[in-house]
Amino acid sequence: MSITVLGIDTSNYTTSVAVVTDGIVTENIKIPVFVNNGEKGVRQSDAVFSHVKNLPIAMERLGALPKLCAVGYSGAPRDCDGSYMPCFLTGEALARGIAKTHGVPAHRFSHQAGHVMAALYSAKKTELLKKTFAAFHVSGGTTEILLVEPGMNITKIGGTVDLTAGQAIDRIGVMLGLSFPCGAALEKLALGGEIRRDKICVNGLECNLSGLENKAKQMMDKGAAPADVAAYTIEFVRRTLCKMSENLRDAYPDIPIVYAGGVMSCQIIRNDFEKRFGASFAEPAYSADNAAGVALMCYEKAVKECEYE
């Protein structure tokens, strides 16, 4: 019996829908949330409105759905009490509506767990689901180190105490005149810059990144070339995450490490960390926000439910 599920994720920056059939991602559609030029982010009310406009378009791109066994959706940013963002209500409303009309269950997951699952799938490391491993979730909304135990039980064990890496990159990118989100454009700009190293702020498994934005602005005020500012920014983030990874390995020797989130699609960081830590990375399509991870978790749950029927 073939098992097909639909996944929906409505993060702060991307409207995503995905289909998984028999454990294979067959559709992974993403539409960016609209952000005005010069803005460094998006208000929740604007994100909700953007999802309301994007979701019908995303579903039309999917075309006619096959017979579904379940629908999965992101209902919150993280798997912890009090984790909430209004933008996820749009995906939940659609998911529950589709599930009801198809006579199938709707399963709620966290956006963060979806990122981890998508990274495992993309890196061909799904066997880690039966083990304990560490995951870095580094994006515009999150910079966290997670301990992931069997059953996708996630515990935060480290991360930033102020700005996220993605926030710092986007704020500096906007200052340089780049369009939000700025990660890919900033990395491209950085390739032509001169690397300058400065003191980073890492304490064990925690870091501070707010100083990066201030230092980048100081460089710009002194007339530094945009490429040099970009190179400084990427290098600061790389060294910060590198030191945190080293400290993680000291605390948890030989633990497998997986890197997820949009910031970790940066090829400069990835090339270094793959050699240095032997870590696993998601491909860009599965590293940035997507619904594939949610759909994959929904598929795993649907398989288990079929086993008990």
Side-chain angles (χ1 to χ4, degrees):
M1 170 182 157
S2 182
I3 296 178
T4 296
V5 302
L6 172 68
I8 300 172
D9 183 89
T10 48
S11 72
N12 209 41
Y13 299 116
T14 309
T15 308
S16 311
V17 295
V19 174
V20 169
T21 297
D22 297 335
I24 305 299
V25 178
T26 58
E27 297 284 355
N28 187 20
I29 294 171
K30 298 178 285 185
I31 303 175
V33 165
F34 178 76
V35 181
N36 288 312
N37 286 334
E39 293 289 336
K40 300 177 182 179
V42 61
R43 291 186 295 269
Q44 276 294 292
S45 58
D46 292 333
V48 168
F49 183 56
S50 194
H51 287 311
V52 169
K53 294 193 295 183
N54 287 347
L55 281 169
I57 298 170
M59 293 303 297
E60 287 168 359
R61 290 182 185 175
L62 281 183
L65 288 172
K67 180 176 173 56
L68 297 176
C69 294
V71 181
Y73 64 93
S74 297
R78 301 173 182 83
D79 288 307
C80 60
D81 292 339
S83 183
Y84 168 78
M85 289 177 74
C87 58
F88 290 107
L89 293 174
T90 56
E92 178 178 357
L94 179 60
R96 291 173 61 181
I98 292 174
K100 186 68 174 178
T101 56
H102 282 70
V104 298
H107 298 303
R108 184 180 189 271
F109 304 97
S110 75
H111 174 74
Q112 186 170 73
H115 263 297
V116 174
M117 187 67 179
L120 292 177
Y121 173 84
S122 176
K124 297 179 172 58
K125 292 289 184 178
T126 53
E127 71 274 8
L128 291 181
L129 289 169
K130 299 178 181 179
K131 303 177 181 179
T132 296
F133 64 96
F136 276 73
H137 180 196
V138 188
S139 66
T142 304
T143 295
E144 295 182 349
I145 306 175
L146 313 170
L147 187 69
V148 187
E149 298 176 289
M152 198 62 84
N153 293 310
I154 298 175
T155 304
K156 177 187 171 184
I157 57 173
T160 181
V161 299
D162 45 37
L163 278 186
T164 71
Q167 281 178 317
I169 287 170
D170 286 331
R171 290 183 181 187
I172 293 167
V174 170
M175 283 194 293
L176 291 171
L178 304 178
S179 296
F180 182 96
C182 307
L186 191 77
E187 180 183 4
K188 183 177 180 180
L189 184 61
L191 294 174
E194 182 178 343
I195 294 176
R196 169 190 155 193
R197 292 181 173 84
D198 208 343
K199 183 180 179 181
I200 58 174
C201 186
V202 175
N203 181 20
L205 300 181
E206 295 184 335
C207 70
N208 293 79
L209 289 167
S210 58
L212 170 57
E213 182 182 8
N214 297 330
K215 291 176 181 177
K217 187 176 186 307
Q218 290 172 8
M219 289 179 67
M220 293 175 64
D221 290 343
K222 292 178 180 179
D228 290 345
V229 177
Y232 173 79
T233 300
I234 297 295
E235 179 64 6
F236 192 102
V237 171
R238 184 198 69 79
R239 290 175 59 234
T240 296
L241 296 175
C242 181
K243 182 61 178 175
M244 294 170 75
S245 298
E246 291 172 351
N247 293 346
L248 174 65
R249 274 285 166 79
D250 288 340
Y252 298 87
D254 301 320
I255 194 169
I257 303 176
V258 176
Y259 291 93
V263 173
M264 302 316 299
S265 62
C266 174
Q267 204 63 43
I268 295 171
I269 298 175
R270 175 174 177 165
N271 290 343
D272 178 42
F273 283 26
E274 283 180 331
K275 296 175 185 176
R276 192 184 298 265
F277 302 111
S280 300
F281 280 77
E283 293 303 316
Y286 293 95
S287 191
D289 287 347
N290 66 87
V294 169
L296 287 161
M297 289 188 293
C298 183
Y299 170 78
E300 293 290 332
K301 192 156 188 173
V303 169
K304 291 178 180 178
E305 289 177 344
C306 288
E307 291 174 353
Y308 291 114
E309 290 181 354

